[in-house]
Amino acid sequence: MAYVPDPAPTPAAPSGTSFVQRLTSRAVLAPIAAIIVFLLFWEGLVWFNEWPNYIMASPSDLPPAYSRYWELFLVMGWQTLWRTVVGLLLAVVVGVIIGMIMGFSRTMRDALYPLLVGFNAIPKATLVPIVALLFVGQHDFNTVLIAFLISFFPIAVSISIGLSTLEPEYRDILRALGASQTTIFWKIALPKTLPEFFGALKVAVTLAFIGTNLMEIVSPHGRGLGALFDSGKTNSDYPLMFAVLIALAILGIALYYVVVALEKIFAGWAERAPS
Amino acid sequence: MTQTIEISGVTHAYDTASGKLPVLDNLDFIVPSASFCAVVGPSGCGKSTLTKLVAGLLIPDQGKVLLDGRAVKGPRSTVGMAFQNPVLLEWRTILDNVILPLEIVPNKLTRSQKEDRARELLSLVGLEGFETKRPSELSGGMRQRASLCRAIAHKPDILIMDEPFGALDAFTREDLWQTMHRLRAEEPFTCMLITHDLRESIYLADQTIVLSDRPARVQHTMDTSMNGRTDLDVLYEQEAVEMLHVLRDQIKIAQGRAEDAQAAQ
Ligand SMILES: Nc1ncnc2c1ncn2[C@@H]1O[C@H](COP(=O)(O)OP(=O)(O)O)[C@@H](O)[C@H]1O
Ligand SMILES: [Mg+2]
């Protein structure tokens, strides 16, 4: 049978192209154009309806807000960022452990699954006041905890499904050579599960980010972008509130694409797999 | 060193939700060292179970699997396996897939010696130039070739193949049969091949064993060594055609269609 050649390289990926070429490529220009159209539409909407500042801020209100509070944005943005990342790392560690337990043992899967699903069904906003009351004043801890609680579920499920659906032949080729369970896990089960894991991580990173902000907005005298948003609300500083929203969006995009980059590095092989 | 496989009084049953399922019933046969044995039989009769017993992945309820007279007690690094599904690892290149067993079994080879070994095998099966490709970039037949290389990379004494060519089209399959003969000429191993293709067993095997329906017993044993001939024409000559007839009848009997077999006589 004929050898199937490499698929044509995507425009953004090849290392051979120059930086300028990459900047002008469709993958970069198209989203920038979309953002500009979106901002123009927003500005136009506010201008057309003659909405005052205290009903709806417009994009032109944002630069003054940023230049006035830029120090606060840096400090608070950092708070939100590290709390999200720590919560997410915790979710990865615990999610992978739970996923491994459920993936390797049928009994544990049957036992834990309803519990996990039930826990996942609870709206996490209801956990926020409970956690805030449990650990009064522990802002960092509370925020990380909520980020973790809200995001570990998809990771646990993806790992358990990835491991439990491993075809027996994959196990057998190594088992027949006398390989230990640990070797089979590192050489086959783990790499084979990575694409599913990263799919779940993309969901989890957004969830963790939402969890962090939920807690930051609710806890009194808190820190982070959520708290900055809350102070904008208290002072009826609408441009500040919108500036926070945009900052959150940018941070969210950055976090998401970090995960995408990690996925490319560790599970890039899955993109070309036909299955 | 190749080893003699001796299946001695092997009986095996699976525990299922509806009680014991007897699969193998007092199997007895010998595969001499360095020879090639094909096992055919109705689907679901216990052929794959037999391969797992020889590989040491299962231990029989009764009886023994003996290799050079020593009972199999568990998996050993002197066995190689290939399945119908080539089960190549998509995150590894073809070369690294073939190297895999050398990363598992104890050996003193350096990384570059392992690569040399893998390259040597790949070129033996006609895959030179594909070392750095990913499995998904290869055709089904090429993947199965790579899978064969991996099965024998660590120079196993025994090669066990479970319907390795079952999913390939007829022409690709014949190509792989010839590749198999080439591998046998270069690499020493005792081979057990499960197949549902009777021509395949006649072309490749020295001895063909027909198993009965579940629970499987040895129903018929046939010398299918074609005097060392490895050209495909041998399959169209009188001797092979007669063997084919006998084997087909035996399969019909195994399937419980004995009347068909008699009618054909
Ligand atoms: N792990 C298992 N547990 C229970 N039953 C099994 C198991 N593996 C195979 N079987 C059953 O044993 C019988 C023989 O299976 P197998 O050896 O795979 O047959 P073959 O390879 O000849 O088609 C089949 O009926 C199959 O459903
Ligand atoms: Mg089978």
Side-chain angles (χ1 to χ4, degrees):
Chain A
M1 233 181 239
Y3 151 68
V4 183
D6 279 6
T10 50
S15 50
T17 49
S18 77
F19 185 65
V20 178
Q21 266 175 316
R22 269 201 264 176
L23 268 191
T24 53
S25 75
R26 193 174 50 186
V28 174
L29 282 185
I32 288 177
I35 290 169
I36 291 173
V37 169
F38 170 73
L39 291 177
L40 286 177
F41 175 76
W42 178 5
E43 187 78 41
L45 196 70
V46 174
W47 175 81
F48 180 79
N49 286 303
E50 297 179 355
W51 279 326
N53 242 350
Y54 54 84
I55 289 185
M56 175 98 174
S58 63
S60 54
D61 294 331
L62 300 180
Y66 285 125
S67 68
R68 236 176 98 195
Y69 300 115
W70 67 271
E71 259 176 309
L72 269 179
F73 270 98
L74 283 185
V75 173
M76 299 305 193
W78 167 245
Q79 284 284 328
T80 301
L81 181 66
W82 81 253
R83 286 162 161 184
T84 304
V85 170
V86 172
L88 188 67
L89 288 179
L90 217 59
V92 168
V93 172
V94 175
V96 167
I97 292 173
I98 295 179
M100 280 172 66
I101 292 171
M102 288 177 31
F104 284 130
S105 155
R106 241 216 102 91
T107 318
M108 292 306 276
R109 185 155 68 250
D110 292 345
L112 291 181
Y113 211 78
L115 204 64
L116 272 185
V117 172
F119 178 79
N120 190 48
I122 299 173
K124 295 304 171 295
T126 59
L127 288 185
V128 169
I130 295 176
V131 168
L133 281 176
L134 253 179
F135 310 100
V136 186
Q138 312 267 342
H139 293 314
D140 287 342
F141 179 79
N142 286 344
T143 317
V144 168
L145 186 63
I146 289 290
F148 154 70
L149 286 177
I150 206 171
S151 63
F152 82 94
F153 180 77
I155 296 174
V157 170
S158 74
I159 293 279
S160 83
I161 290 179
L163 293 181
S164 61
T165 55
L166 185 70
E167 295 92 327
E169 287 109 329
Y170 279 95
R171 244 179 258 278
D172 283 350
I173 47 167
L174 288 200
R175 227 156 56 86
L177 296 172
S180 66
Q181 282 295 334
T182 332
T183 311
I184 294 175
F185 177 76
W186 284 111
K187 293 268 182 203
I188 296 201
L190 179 74
K192 198 153 170 38
T193 305
L194 277 183
E196 275 115 4
F197 168 76
F198 277 106
L201 197 59
K202 282 189 220 165
V203 177
V205 69
T206 315
L207 289 177
F209 196 57
I210 292 172
T212 309
N213 284 287
L214 264 180
M215 197 69 202
E216 287 175 351
I217 291 172
V218 170
S219 45
H221 317 297
R223 309 194 68 192
L225 287 175
L228 194 58
F229 179 84
D230 199 50
S231 80
K233 200 176 88 189
T234 317
N235 301 320
S236 301
D237 190 342
Y238 288 81
L240 175 59
M241 288 166 73
F242 276 88
V244 171
L245 291 191
I246 299 297
L248 284 175
I250 292 170
L251 210 52
I253 292 172
L255 277 171
Y256 184 83
Y257 279 100
V258 167
V259 175
V260 170
L262 289 175
E263 181 183 29
K264 270 220 156 38
I265 295 169
F266 292 107
W269 54 267
E271 261 172 47
R272 281 193 299 188
S275 63
Chain B
M1 277 301 292
T2 59
Q3 293 177 324
T4 299
I5 308 171
E6 186 180 351
I7 312 287
S8 166
V10 165
T11 297
H12 195 74
Y14 285 113
D15 287 317
T16 64
S18 50
K20 284 259 180 199
L21 177 74
V23 175
L24 302 178
D25 179 18
N26 201 15
L27 281 194
D28 264 315
F29 64 89
I30 290 179
V31 185
S33 183
S35 79
F36 197 123
C37 171
V39 177
V40 298
S43 134
C45 76
K47 302 183 295 295
S48 298
T49 306
L50 180 62
T51 64
K52 295 206 174 84
L53 291 169
V54 175
L57 294 172
L58 284 175
I59 301 298
D61 293 341
Q62 286 167 41
K64 281 192 168 82
V65 176
L66 302 159
L67 301 180
D68 272 355
R70 309 225 338 240
V72 171
K73 296 213 175 63
R76 296 163 324 280
S77 58
T78 51
V79 164
M81 287 190 99
F83 306 95
Q84 175 166 349
N85 176 352
V87 286
L88 297 174
L89 312 182
E90 188 56 36
W91 55 95
R92 286 173 173 244
T93 61
I94 293 300
L95 190 76
D96 284 336
N97 264 286
V98 177
I99 287 175
L100 183 70
L102 299 174
E103 294 174 7
I104 308 291
V105 308
N107 62 67
K108 293 199 180 67
L109 299 180
T110 64
R111 168 77 200 178
S112 79
Q113 283 171 322
K114 290 175 187 169
E115 284 183 12
D116 289 346
R117 167 72 179 152
R119 272 179 223 285
E120 170 197 22
L121 284 172
L122 285 171
S123 84
L124 199 56
V125 301
L127 279 183
E128 62 268 89
F130 292 91
E131 290 84 353
T132 59
K133 298 289 179 204
R134 299 278 168 172
S136 61
E137 296 176 277
L138 268 56
S139 68
M142 295 166 103
R143 273 182 240 174
Q144 201 52 262
R145 286 170 200 274
S147 170
L148 281 179
C149 291
R150 180 183 59 194
I152 58 173
H154 54 299
K155 299 192 192 254
D157 300 332
I158 288 166
L159 174 61
I160 303 167
M161 296 187 288
D162 192 350
E163 305 193 12
F165 315 126
L168 304 176
D169 67 82
F171 300 119
T172 311
R173 196 182 304 176
E174 288 186 356
D175 277 352
L176 276 175
W177 290 350
Q178 287 170 306
T179 302
M180 202 59 233
H181 267 307
R182 211 159 50 239
L183 282 179
R184 254 195 99 187
E186 299 292 326
E187 301 275 330
F189 46 73
T190 309
C191 188
M192 181 184 269
L193 167 79
I194 308 296
T195 179
H196 55 239
D197 185 334
L198 300 176
R199 293 167 71 239
E200 181 170 299
S201 66
I202 292 171
Y203 181 64
L204 288 178
D206 304 318
Q207 172 191 217
T208 297
I209 293 185
V210 183
L211 296 183
S212 71
D213 203 358
R214 196 179 62 230
R217 286 165 290 102
V218 174
Q219 175 176 308
H220 190 78
T221 305
M222 180 185 264
D223 179 349
T224 44
S225 62
M226 306 305 289
N227 306 318
R229 282 185 56 185
T230 60
D231 55 305
L232 279 164
D233 291 337
V234 74
L235 279 178
Y236 300 93
E237 287 167 15
Q238 188 60 29
E239 192 189 2
V241 172
E242 275 165 16
M243 286 178 179
L244 198 55
H245 270 296
V246 175
L247 286 177
R248 278 193 46 184
D249 284 347
Q250 287 297 330
I251 288 287
K252 280 177 190 158
I253 293 168
Q255 288 171 328
R257 295 192 295 153
E259 316 79 43
D260 292 5
Q262 265 143 28
Q265 300 271 305

